[in-house]
Amino acid sequence: MDRQPTLVGNLIEMRPLAEADWDGLFAVAGDKELWALHPVHTRWQEPVFRAMFAEALAEGGALVAVERATGRIIGSSQYRGYRPENGGSVEVGWSFIARSHWGGEYNREMKRLMLAYALRFVERARFRVGENNLRSRRAMEKIGGRLTDAVEVVQGPEGPITHVTYEITREGFATGPLSS
């Protein structure tokens, strides 16, 4: 599975993140309200986001979302934790989208494009979501994510962060709300 494909939808194009995307992506990520419910709610700060951006470039698997109508960067998402064994799985996450594009077709298309691509290679896509990030948890449920029993606690910059895990299987995607 190539974790940095180019995926084209009606509204957005997802393409590999590049160093040259810094200004456009930070223009989105620098919005303090974007991160208000996120476990690392300081990601709007330039040094904090710069570290996330550098990690995304180093890890590979990072995609930038470009609005096709304007050519403007509106967000990002990543494929990580690719595990090809036993039917395979990959994590889809580290996703964010400009608040001007919340709650509608753009985020849905981003997830649909990424899932349709990934589920050609693996049986399931995993999503780690901050336990208290209710906006992201509702969004996962709206796109057909199933809450699993998997919980992970990691050390964040301000203390421990508990993540819950959702998953979408190939079969669930084929019959779920993002299938068309």
Side-chain angles (χ1 to χ4, degrees):
M1 177 181 160
D2 175 5
R3 292 184 309 120
Q4 288 193 289
T6 296
L7 309 171
V8 180
N10 293 324
L11 301 172
I12 62 171
E13 176 179 316
M14 302 289 294
R15 63 165 173 74
L17 178 69
E19 185 71 44
D21 294 324
W22 165 259
D23 289 336
L25 200 53
F26 187 64
V28 174
D31 177 358
K32 185 176 182 177
E33 292 303 311
L34 186 74
W35 306 101
L37 296 179
H38 192 275
V40 184
H41 59 270
T42 56
R43 282 214 176 123
W44 62 274
Q45 297 172 0
E46 190 270 341
V48 178
F49 187 75
R50 189 167 292 282
M52 179 186 166
F53 186 84
E55 181 182 344
L57 285 173
E59 283 281 325
L63 303 175
V64 65
V66 177
E67 184 177 41
R68 292 186 67 204
T70 65
R72 197 178 64 173
I73 291 174
I74 61 166
S76 180
S77 191
Q78 299 179 41
Y79 291 118
R80 287 199 185 179
Y82 173 54
R83 300 180 192 148
E85 64 281 348
N86 300 322
S89 69
V90 69
E91 186 173 344
V92 176
W94 292 267
S95 304
F96 63 95
I97 195 163
R99 284 191 303 136
S100 58
H101 293 73
W102 277 5
E105 291 301 312
Y106 288 85
N107 189 48
R108 191 171 3 271
E109 184 169 273
M110 178 190 295
K111 294 297 190 286
R112 185 185 54 73
L113 288 169
M114 292 185 74
L115 286 165
Y117 174 77
L119 293 172
R120 291 175 23 210
F121 303 95
V122 297
E123 176 58 35
R124 67 182 73 288
R126 301 177 324 275
F127 300 81
R128 282 186 315 152
V129 179
E131 180 179 46
N132 297 319
N133 188 341
L134 300 180
R135 181 181 298 119
S136 291
R137 291 185 69 170
R138 280 192 305 271
M140 280 307 311
E141 291 161 6
K142 282 171 69 173
I143 67 167
R146 183 185 65 78
L147 183 62
T148 70
D149 293 335
V151 175
E152 179 183 24
V153 179
V154 297
Q155 186 59 39
E158 299 172 14
I161 299 170
T162 302
H163 289 100
V164 296
T165 302
Y166 288 82
E167 72 175 25
I168 295 177
T169 63
R170 185 180 295 147
E171 180 182 346
F173 178 72
T175 60
L178 292 177
S179 62
S180 56

